[in-house]
Amino acid sequence: MRLLASLFGFALLISVIAVGFLAKLWWQQEERAQVETAIQSEHNVARRSSLEALMAQVGGLKLRGEKLLGREAASGREFEIGFDELSYSGNVLKLRKPVCSVMDEGAVVASFSGSSVIVSVQKQLLEFIGDVVLKSNKHNAILKSSRMRWRWSDGEVLAIGGVSFALGGMLIGSADSARADTVLGEVELSGRPSLRLRISKWLKY
Amino acid sequence: MSMRAFVRSLPFVSLGACLLCAAFIWHMSIMGSALALQEVSGGQFEFVKVYCIGQRGSSIKLMLRKEPIEVIAYGGAVIEWSQGRIQSDTVIARLIQKGVQGKGVLGTVVSAEAMGNVSLDMRMDVEGERKAHVVGSCKRLQIDPKESLLIMTGSPQIKVSGISPEVSQALGKAGRITMSLESGELLFEPGDEQLLPEVNVQIERKPPEKTTKK
């Protein structure tokens, strides 16, 4: 009987020690995780604040939530860029799946979209890459290319690589490159340029 | 129906299905060609190609802000349509957008102009299913779609062949040459350059018919 009682006491002691040891381990892990989170958030705040400072300093961009906001200097049109993911290194910002809407008096007059965009803040330049589409609601026109640069200071668009252009259902164009303005009011196709017009009246026989 | 009867009827059923499919495809193809014919014969719309064959500095500028829209092609600019082509250094076309019921948006050419070293190559319908071949050159060519006129100025010259079996070709020079695109008539005028019109018609001489004397 005595032997049984001593064995039970010993087992209880071992259990208490084991529980205490496990509790200590868990506590240490928790503490480490908390410290890491704190460091990470401090780092993020620092990155975000330095990013915002850079954008405000040169490009006049603002980061609000998941959107970048800015203003086209020449026309005064406002624009906002929505995105899925943002990465930042040096002075270059990269956004994944960007949709940039350019607004005039509250209405969207043009929109850019592509696989990704590199925001060169100092050059005030957005470089869209991969299946880039510039849609002008103002002129019912679409410009497509594999790469497109938009300078938001003066609203100049440069499309490179397999450029195609369409105006309503009446005109389809193609070229190696194109220059245009934000709302496609003026488009210049160069490098093997061609147009196909669908006209209702031409040389009537 | 017994299983045996069902199996027996299978080849007929599949043959019927094949025939039905073939009829459907045939019907669709007929529908498609009828639609295409309607578009062409109706003359409601036509495709016009504008492109540049110049190696360097060639471009096509579209001024969508303007009304009518302006299309300017520089550097070996070519306008090509079903009846012919015009090649020159610069081509300017003005067009307006028009919504046409059932056809979406079409363009209507208000005016077109070719400048520089202009060359023209066209085929025009003449009597008896013949097609006249028109080749010309000038410094300025204007197209007036409203009046269906083609106006050539700046030392224009034109060569027409295939007008009739008798006339092999006609060569013409003037200060201004106007061609009606509906009737094919050519008008030679002194124009601003005060060049006297000069037309040279070459008649096909046929060998005299042989008569047999008895």
Side-chain angles (χ1 to χ4, degrees), chain A residues 136 139-141 165-174 181 183-205, chain B residues 43-52 58-65 69 71 79 81 83 95 97 103 105-109 112 122 143 145 148 181-182:
Chain A
S136 164
H139 296 291
N140 192 25
F165 175 79
L167 175 68
M170 94 176 200
L171 192 149
I172 296 166
S174 66
D181 59 297
V183 291
L184 301 176
E186 201 175 309
V187 182
E188 188 173 2
L189 303 169
S190 41
R192 293 179 296 158
S194 78
L195 276 186
R196 199 165 180 241
L197 302 162
R198 191 168 166 255
I199 59 167
S200 57
K201 192 180 177 188
W202 179 239
L203 308 174
K204 199 181 165 192
Y205 290 98
Chain B
Q44 287 300 305
F45 79 85
E46 183 172 3
F47 286 111
V48 176
K49 265 167 81 178
V50 179
Y51 57 92
C52 296
S58 61
S59 69
I60 298 176
K61 213 171 189 175
L62 295 137
M63 314 284 271
L64 306 189
R65 265 194 213 114
I69 293 166
V71 178
I79 300 185
W81 73 104
Q83 271 80 22
L95 50 147
Q97 289 190 76
K103 290 187 174 71
V105 180
L106 301 176
T108 298
V109 178
M122 283 177 66
I143 298 166
S148 285
L181 294 158
E182 278 181 358

Side-chain angles (χ1 to χ4, degrees), chain A:
Chain A
M1 190 66 182
R2 274 184 190 170
L3 185 71
L4 265 174
S6 60
L7 273 174
F8 178 74
F10 183 71
L12 194 70
L13 188 71
I14 294 293
S15 305
V16 167
I17 290 165
V19 167
F21 183 71
L22 284 172
K24 194 189 169 192
L25 271 180
W26 178 79
W27 182 258
Q28 277 178 346
Q29 264 186 351
E30 270 296 296
E31 212 170 36
R32 201 180 298 144
Q34 272 180 5
V35 169
E36 272 176 12
T37 314
I39 291 167
Q40 188 75 34
S41 68
E42 267 175 33
H43 184 64
N44 280 352
V45 167
R47 274 175 68 85
R48 195 180 167 101
S49 62
S50 67
L51 171 67
E52 280 173 353
L54 177 77
M55 287 191 300
Q57 190 191 337
V58 191
L61 294 178
K62 281 177 198 163
L63 184 61
R64 191 176 295 164
E66 294 300 300
K67 275 180 181 170
L68 271 179
L69 309 176
R71 189 183 285 270
E72 201 184 67
S75 64
R77 295 187 195 110
E78 289 180 339
F79 64 89
E80 58 174 48
I81 314 164
F83 53 88
D84 277 6
E85 201 180 293
L86 180 149
S87 59
Y88 164 54
S89 82
N91 287 342
V92 177
L93 263 174
K94 195 174 177 184
L95 311 175
R96 217 169 65 86
K97 297 241 172 119
V99 177
C100 174
S101 305
V102 184
M103 284 155 296
D104 199 1
E105 292 171 359
V108 177
V109 285
S111 62
F112 295 86
S113 62
S115 302
S116 64
V117 65
I118 295 166
V119 187
S120 301
V121 180
Q122 283 173 332
K123 290 178 189 169
Q124 304 197 3
L125 191 85
L126 293 178
E127 184 161 1
F128 293 86
I129 302 159
D131 298 325
V132 189
V133 179
L134 165 54
K135 193 179 172 192
S136 164
N137 294 338
K138 194 170 182 181
H139 296 291
N140 192 25
I142 293 174
L143 184 70
K144 288 182 184 177
S145 70
S146 56
R147 200 172 264 260
M148 206 180 283
R149 285 182 196 144
W150 179 53
R151 209 162 51 205
W152 74 77
S153 55
D154 56 6
E156 193 191 69
V157 176
L158 176 65
I160 319 155
V163 176
S164 69
F165 175 79
L167 175 68
M170 94 176 200
L171 192 149
I172 296 166
S174 66
D176 292 339
S177 64
R179 261 178 208 283
D181 59 297
T182 311
V183 291
L184 301 176
E186 201 175 309
V187 182
E188 188 173 2
L189 303 169
S190 41
R192 293 179 296 158
S194 78
L195 276 186
R196 199 165 180 241
L197 302 162
R198 191 168 166 255
I199 59 167
S200 57
K201 192 180 177 188
W202 179 239
L203 308 174
K204 199 181 165 192
Y205 290 98

